[in-house]
Amino acid sequence: MHINPNLTLENHRAVLVPLQSEHINELAKLLSDPRIWELTWRKNTTRESVKQALELALLNKEAGTQLPFVIRDAASGRIAGTTRLGDLDMHNRSVEIGWTWLSPEFWGTGLNSACKHLLLKYCFEELGVIRVQFSASGRNARSQRALEKIGAVREGVLRRHRLDATNGGAVHDNVIYSILDSEWSLVQSRIPFI
């Protein structure tokens, strides 16, 4: 499995370009909307906290543990958010798709599904992975429904797995989903945007 850190992926709905430091200010403004974080254990509701999260993503990219992308809406060319490949496990040919933070303006437009299709296609058809994992907060039914809609299989729950950064330290369950290489052709046919 060889990961290209300068990879760009695109289809008729989404363009994924490598996250660069010059994207951080625009993304910090876009992603500091509290609605993005209300159902997650992350609470990046200020521009500064979003910047810190994105700077960490760049450090992880340099370390070879993550591949972060900027999401652009193909029709308008506007930046809509971020997503990434993480937990890159070359030996076991496994990755996680996640850290998808999308401006509410693009919720329900099919952009997220288009991104997932691009990343899954790259993982299974280019990298040759055998397993792609996803996780969602137990409180985030919207994310869980979206994963189920594209055909991800709910594997289980890591109970009381994440501490909320605010909200008095509330504890979140972490729901784990996956798609296997043997399931990819069926999943590909089910992804809504196609």
Side-chain angles (χ1 to χ4, degrees):
M1 218 169 64
H2 171 72
I3 306 272
N4 175 2
N6 300 310
L7 178 71
T8 296
L9 301 169
E10 64 182 289
N11 56 30
H12 71 278
R13 185 67 185 92
V15 181
L16 302 180
V17 298
L19 176 67
Q20 304 291 333
S21 57
E22 60 263 18
H23 297 122
I24 290 180
N25 284 332
E26 185 174 353
L27 283 165
K29 180 180 177 184
L30 183 73
L31 298 177
S32 59
D33 186 321
R35 293 175 292 173
I36 297 168
W37 311 102
E38 67 187 353
L39 298 174
T40 74
W41 50 82
R42 294 175 185 90
K43 298 300 176 203
N44 297 326
T45 56
T46 67
R47 289 184 187 187
E48 190 56 38
S49 62
V50 174
K51 283 182 183 181
Q52 289 172 358
L54 295 172
E55 288 165 357
L56 179 58
L58 289 175
L59 289 174
N60 290 336
K61 178 182 176 181
E62 287 178 27
T65 60
Q66 294 185 337
L67 187 58
F69 295 94
V70 172
I71 301 168
R72 287 192 182 276
D73 175 65
S76 68
R78 292 179 35 228
I79 289 180
T82 66
T83 193
R84 68 185 93 156
L85 298 177
D87 297 331
L88 305 173
D89 185 344
M90 307 306 185
H91 176 75
N92 292 303
R93 295 175 34 211
S94 176
V95 302
E96 181 166 348
I97 293 175
W99 302 268
T100 304
W101 307 330
L102 200 60
S103 168
E105 177 183 351
F106 294 95
W107 292 357
T109 66
L111 186 58
N112 188 24
S113 293
C115 293
K116 296 296 187 280
H117 179 263
L118 285 169
L119 292 170
L120 287 164
K121 184 175 177 65
Y122 174 69
C123 288
F124 288 120
E125 298 179 15
E126 301 295 324
L127 293 180
V129 304
I130 58 176
R131 182 177 191 280
V132 172
Q133 176 176 297
F134 307 86
S135 65
S137 170
R139 296 179 182 187
N140 195 338
R142 181 177 61 228
S143 288
Q144 292 175 53
R145 280 191 311 270
L147 289 168
E148 291 164 4
K149 189 174 181 180
I150 66 168
V153 174
R154 182 181 171 130
E155 292 184 335
V157 177
L158 301 176
R159 299 177 306 154
R160 298 178 58 83
H161 188 244
R162 302 280 186 191
L163 287 176
D164 198 320
T166 59
N167 197 18
V171 181
H172 290 248
D173 291 343
N174 193 11
V175 184
I176 304 298
Y177 288 84
S178 71
I179 298 173
L180 306 179
D181 57 346
S182 59
E183 300 164 338
W184 169 233
S185 61
L186 178 61
V187 167
Q188 186 173 16
S189 69
R190 290 180 56 184
I191 294 181
F193 95 100
I194 297 175

